[in-house]
Amino acid sequence: MEYNTEVQRRLAQILDELNIKTTYIKRDDAFILEDSGLVIFEDKRKVTRPAPYLIQIFNDGTLRFADGGDVSIKYCKLCRKFSFGRKVSRIDDKCPFCKEHSFKYLSNNSKIPGWFGKEENSLIDEQEAERHLASIPGDNDDKNKEAIRECIKKLSGEVSYITVSSEKKEKVLKLAEKYPNMQEIIDYLVQSFESSNFRKHKEISFRPIVLVGSPGCGKTSFVTDLGNILQGKKAVKIDLGNDVPVFAISGSDPQFSRAKQGLITEAMSKNSEHGPLKNPLIHFDELDKIHSKENYCIETVFYSILEKNTARRFFDNYIGINVDASGVNYIFTANSLENIPKPIISRLKIFQIPDYTAEQFKACVIDNFYHNWLKNNDMEQEFLPAVLSNEIKEEILKECGGDTRNIEDAINKVFTRTMQKDDETGHSLALFSPKEYFIGWKKFRGKRNISQNSWTLPVDFL
């Protein structure tokens, strides 16, 4: 049916949703509620005789009786019918159908809830959240109720987004220097960044993906670096190899001791850096290690969160309301696809990550591990090479056997083996090749790092 205005179209949709029988009189721009005889019309019409059965509706979904009275939308728990009526005391408020005092209010403030639909910039329906909090047993000082309220508060308000920038794009492209075997996934991410530029909020968004490769090919390290680039910190990591219970992801029942919200809603919660976050990055590690069980199977969670339609109403058991998790970006890592259920695989974009070649090890991988080793161990870099020579890299490669998990141990072994004392300074030197010692180690040494933090006068100076 065609309606004269958008307000009438929206009202017709809501009356139909509430299963209230109506007759629309197009000539009068009015809806007659057949069970009660009430008439709803738009506020643009002038009322010369404000009859008690006339209700005006305004552009913002507010309802008023023509004589100025408030309107309530009520639901009878016995008849299971919705109706419109006046706001009266509960003692006098009887259902017009069964005449019992059995009402539950959908609205008691003269406004249709959700008139504009769910706000685009909100993760939750805040009216639903308030109704849920009011239904939790206990007073407002109850610690459990207050904790749930705090979790809901962190999901409320205007939504924030992890957005695309040219700087982030360049940093992701540079990851190919550190992870030469990740070129395919890097190309895909950069392509998704281009698509993100067409989104309203320029937010980063990509299909759930899984990186499949043997241990030591750099999968987990890559996801860690990617999280630091895209959102300024590591992605929330969930290790599926440790028999992660379902409630760790979707929240535990608040009746249990030590109950808490799930990791998905926790990743979306506001903090000092941003408001509620629509599109955080979440890393599920060792997907091939999940074990199906009769009860509390974690697979069922994936079926809901990996489809945008169902993820829009992701239910967190702890906070007890639906959350829009459709914007979350998921990256899975696995050693193989063999033990992963096919329904999950069908929801993921698969990237097979090859092992590093010997040349890639020497050209990229060892260098990156070496620089991290210098930084993590706070080494005196002026007595160590700025860049490792090919001879030293060959020794490290032999020691680690081509396995990235053994590189740090290999560096330590070669470090000990090459250590000698400088005659001039009396300081120990290491990791220089015989050729570099012969030419002069000072030509190849690094420099001591100076702190990037601003200098301040020592506290105890004065």
Side-chain angles (χ1 to χ4, degrees):
M1 180 179 291
E2 291 186 5
Y3 299 96
N4 292 332
T5 68
E6 276 297 303
V7 171
Q8 292 167 21
R9 183 196 64 77
R10 185 63 170 162
L11 178 59
Q13 184 184 34
I14 290 170
L15 293 172
D16 183 62
E17 180 71 20
L18 298 178
N19 202 24
I20 295 176
K21 294 179 182 180
T22 62
T23 299
Y24 174 60
I25 310 299
K26 188 171 184 178
R27 181 188 66 240
D28 297 327
D29 292 336
F31 293 83
I32 300 175
L33 310 189
E34 296 178 8
D35 289 330
S36 62
L38 295 172
V39 178
I40 303 180
F41 61 95
E42 270 195 83
D43 67 315
K44 62 181 182 178
R45 285 181 52 185
K46 293 182 179 180
V47 182
T48 53
R49 298 179 64 184
Y53 57 83
L54 295 178
I55 298 176
Q56 290 178 284
I57 184 165
F58 299 83
N59 287 333
D60 63 354
T62 299
L63 299 161
R64 283 280 187 273
F65 278 98
D67 59 8
D70 290 327
V71 179
S72 295
I73 304 176
K74 313 170 186 181
Y75 175 70
C76 179
K77 291 180 283 187
L78 295 179
C79 297
R80 298 187 178 181
K81 291 182 179 181
F82 284 95
S83 63
F84 287 74
R86 291 184 181 271
K87 185 176 181 180
V88 296
S89 69
R90 292 186 179 272
I91 297 175
D92 301 323
D93 209 1
K94 291 183 180 180
C95 172
F97 306 107
C98 67
K99 310 301 180 184
E100 295 291 336
H101 300 281
S102 51
F103 276 133
K104 179 179 180 181
Y105 290 93
L106 175 68
S107 170
N108 202 18
N109 62 356
S110 295
K111 190 165 184 175
I112 297 176
W115 172 254
F116 294 107
K118 187 179 145 186
E119 289 295 325
E120 183 183 4
N121 62 342
S122 176
L123 295 181
I124 62 174
D125 185 326
E126 296 188 16
Q127 289 183 333
E128 176 192 354
E130 283 302 316
R131 290 195 296 271
H132 170 64
L133 285 168
S135 69
I136 299 175
D139 55 37
N140 289 330
D141 293 329
D142 183 86
K143 288 185 178 180
N144 188 41
K145 190 170 185 176
E146 183 57 36
I148 295 173
R149 185 184 298 278
E150 186 63 25
C151 289
I152 290 176
K153 185 178 179 181
K154 289 182 178 180
L155 295 168
S156 306
E158 188 173 352
V159 170
S160 300
Y161 299 89
I162 301 171
T163 57
V164 176
S165 68
S166 57
E167 182 183 5
K168 289 180 182 178
K169 180 180 174 181
E170 286 302 316
K171 286 183 177 180
V172 171
L173 284 169
K174 282 188 176 181
L175 285 177
E177 299 175 6
K178 186 174 181 180
Y179 304 98
N181 57 341
M182 299 283 179
Q183 190 62 59
E184 186 181 3
I185 174 65
I186 290 171
D187 290 342
Y188 170 75
L189 289 170
V190 171
Q191 183 182 358
S192 73
F193 295 167
E194 297 299 331
S195 302
S196 296
N197 284 321
F198 289 89
R199 295 191 177 90
K200 180 179 178 181
H201 302 287
K202 311 297 183 188
E203 70 270 25
I204 291 170
S205 178
F206 49 83
R207 181 182 169 188
I209 62 180
V210 56
L211 307 183
V212 185
S214 59
C217 70
K219 305 183 298 292
T220 301
S221 178
F222 174 80
V223 177
T224 299
D225 287 349
L226 182 66
N228 286 328
I229 292 172
L230 297 186
Q231 58 184 26
K233 62 181 180 180
K234 296 178 182 178
V236 171
K237 183 182 176 185
I238 302 169
D239 190 349
L240 300 173
N242 291 331
D243 283 334
V244 175
V246 175
F247 60 77
I249 299 174
S250 54
S252 47
D253 190 309
Q255 299 303 316
F256 294 143
S257 61
R258 298 183 181 178
K260 62 180 295 186
Q261 70 183 116
L263 289 170
I264 290 179
T265 52
E266 186 176 321
M268 302 171 74
S269 298
K270 72 171 70 171
N271 58 32
S272 59
E273 300 171 356
H274 56 70
L277 192 57
K278 182 69 177 286
N279 60 334
L281 186 65
I282 294 181
H283 174 202
F284 285 103
D285 195 19
E286 297 194 290
L287 178 59
D288 49 330
K289 299 293 194 303
I290 60 173
H291 302 290
S292 297
K293 298 179 181 178
E294 292 183 7
N295 298 319
Y296 310 115
C297 178
I298 204 167
E299 292 174 31
T300 57
V301 179
F302 294 146
Y303 298 145
S304 63
I305 64 175
L306 297 180
E307 296 285 352
K308 286 192 179 292
N309 288 337
T310 51
R312 286 189 176 91
R313 293 185 64 79
F314 172 73
F315 187 79
D316 188 292
N317 295 307
Y318 180 69
I319 62 177
I321 60 172
N322 292 306
V323 180
D324 184 357
S326 61
V328 179
N329 294 298
Y330 298 102
I331 298 183
F332 294 79
T333 48
N335 293 335
S336 72
L337 297 174
E338 187 177 348
N339 297 321
I340 304 173
K342 289 183 179 179
I344 294 179
I345 293 177
S346 67
R347 289 166 166 81
L348 305 174
K349 185 170 179 61
I350 301 169
F351 291 92
Q352 294 284 352
I353 309 301
D355 291 334
Y356 293 113
T357 64
E359 286 305 313
Q360 288 175 339
F361 246 89
K362 287 193 293 182
C364 305
V365 181
I366 292 177
D367 274 342
N368 288 312
F369 272 86
Y370 174 60
H371 289 299
N372 286 334
W373 178 81
L374 291 172
K375 181 180 178 181
N376 294 337
N377 293 287
D378 197 21
M379 304 300 284
E380 294 180 303
Q381 297 184 34
E382 67 268 37
F383 298 104
L384 295 164
V387 178
L388 295 175
S389 64
N390 285 332
E391 292 92 330
I392 296 296
K393 287 181 182 179
E394 286 286 356
E395 290 191 42
I396 293 172
L397 185 57
K398 289 177 184 177
E399 286 288 347
C400 71
D403 190 337
T404 56
R405 294 172 298 181
N406 298 328
I407 290 181
E408 188 165 343
D409 286 339
I411 291 174
N412 286 325
K413 288 179 181 179
V414 176
F415 170 80
T416 303
R417 193 160 62 232
T418 58
M419 189 181 295
Q420 58 180 274
K421 191 169 286 186
D422 178 48
D423 294 334
E424 182 182 340
T425 62
H427 199 286
S428 296
L429 312 172
L431 295 176
F432 292 101
S433 67
K435 184 178 179 180
E436 289 171 331
Y437 279 125
F438 179 77
I439 295 174
W441 64 270
K442 290 183 180 179
K443 296 178 181 178
F444 305 98
R445 67 176 175 176
K447 296 179 180 178
R448 175 174 286 278
N449 285 335
I450 298 175
S451 173
Q452 298 300 310
N453 295 328
S454 56
W455 184 89
T456 58
L457 192 68
V459 176
D460 57 353
F461 178 79
L462 298 176

